[in-house]
Amino acid sequence: MLDRVAVLSDIHGVLPALDAVLAEPDVASADRIVLTGDIAAGPQPAEVLDRLGTLGDRAVWVNGNADRELVQLAHGGETNIPDPIAPWCAAQLRSDQVDLLARLPATARLEVTGLGPVLFCHATPRDDEEVVLVDSSLERWAEVLDGVSEPTVVCGHTHMPFSRLVDRRLVVNAGSVGMPYGSPGAHWVLLGGADGPAVQHRRTLFDAEAAADSIVATSTYSDIEEWVSYFVRNPPSDAEALTVFAPRDGRGS
């Protein structure tokens, strides 16, 4: 049984955001740090993977759709990934980093104090890119969680943090460290602990302008100014993101 587990999702190759979260005392002292996918696809992919590698056995890695697609691109394949940074990103990875991403499991399971068995995934336990949202129907949640026995499921993928009950099961979305939709800062979750809430949504604030300048100065991506303008300096609101994502959760079909 683990007393404290930090969950970091959707880092998307943004090193300043990752460093800010790793410096948090509750992350530095956590028994495990679970990485729920979409780790490297962004402007500093190799650097982010190297930084996470220093966590050693404390890190629990889970595959995301963008990680899977980077492996496909690195191996000469094609994907439907919408972010144009992806082919450049795949080309930056060393062979050992591609191999690491290729080995990542789709899910992980840990026993956490105050929660019991917790299942970690990227989008849903059965699929790394399907969409479920805070306001998705109970029927949709029942569909994507069919066969799951754990009472708590922790995910990411949609970059918007939330917690909600789904027919007595707790679902937690950790939000995004590197590409938040909604309030600024790096979003993550702290699980466990005998005292206080067993699920704590956290937000680590950092200097977005300084982070953007640092990324521009170190990344060789050709459209890096446009990338940081959209994702670091002026990230979309949760309302904008929900408008885009909502049709993909099956509502109205």
Side-chain angles (χ1 to χ4, degrees):
M1 186 75 70
L2 300 169
D3 285 334
R4 291 282 180 171
V5 173
V7 185
L8 282 54
S9 192
D10 296 272
I11 299 166
H12 277 287
V14 180
L15 186 61
L18 173 62
D19 281 341
V21 173
L22 292 180
E24 290 277 13
D26 282 334
V27 176
S29 63
D31 299 308
R32 295 289 187 278
I33 299 174
V34 182
L35 312 168
T36 52
D38 283 11
I39 297 163
Q44 298 164 303
E47 296 89 338
V48 161
L49 289 173
D50 282 342
R51 183 77 84 252
L52 292 172
T54 66
L55 298 175
D57 292 340
R58 291 178 62 225
V60 177
W61 303 64
V62 171
N63 197 32
N65 61 297
D67 306 311
R68 170 175 52 78
E69 290 166 332
L70 286 183
V71 173
Q72 291 174 241
L73 289 167
H75 288 161
E78 298 181 357
T79 76
N80 294 320
I81 191 169
D83 192 345
I85 202 173
W88 171 88
C89 180
Q92 308 311 302
L93 300 179
R94 302 187 306 269
S95 60
D96 63 299
Q97 294 175 324
V98 175
D99 291 344
L100 168 66
L101 295 180
R103 295 193 303 268
L104 296 186
T107 61
R109 184 182 187 275
L110 297 174
E111 296 267 349
V112 182
T113 299
L115 294 170
V118 179
L119 182 68
F120 299 88
C121 61
H122 179 60
T124 71
R126 68 179 189 176
D127 190 295
D128 65 15
E129 60 182 341
E130 64 183 348
V131 169
V132 275
L133 303 164
V134 64
D135 63 343
S136 294
S137 68
L138 284 174
E139 292 77 14
R140 171 63 171 170
W141 280 105
E143 174 192 353
V144 302
L145 297 177
D146 184 41
V148 173
S149 61
E150 290 82 2
T152 301
V153 175
V154 179
C155 61
H157 186 50
T158 58
H159 299 204
M160 293 172 283
F162 66 80
S163 295
R164 66 162 288 179
L165 286 174
V166 180
D167 192 14
R168 297 193 177 95
R169 178 179 285 111
L170 178 63
V171 176
V172 178
N173 190 306
S176 173
V177 170
M179 270 188 202
Y181 297 160
S183 55
H187 294 257
W188 55 283
V189 163
L190 184 67
L191 304 178
D195 301 320
V199 176
Q200 299 179 42
H201 286 275
R202 299 289 187 89
R203 179 165 65 111
T204 299
L205 296 176
F206 58 93
D207 188 331
E209 284 299 322
D213 290 343
S214 172
I215 293 168
V216 168
T218 57
S219 178
T220 61
Y221 178 52
S222 59
D223 293 324
I224 191 60
E225 287 279 6
E226 180 180 356
W227 196 96
V228 298
S229 176
Y230 185 78
F231 289 114
V232 181
R233 291 192 171 102
N234 303 288
S237 72
D238 55 319
E240 292 171 317
L242 283 169
T243 298
V244 173
F245 279 127
R248 294 173 53 192
D249 80 342
R251 66 185 66 190
S253 60

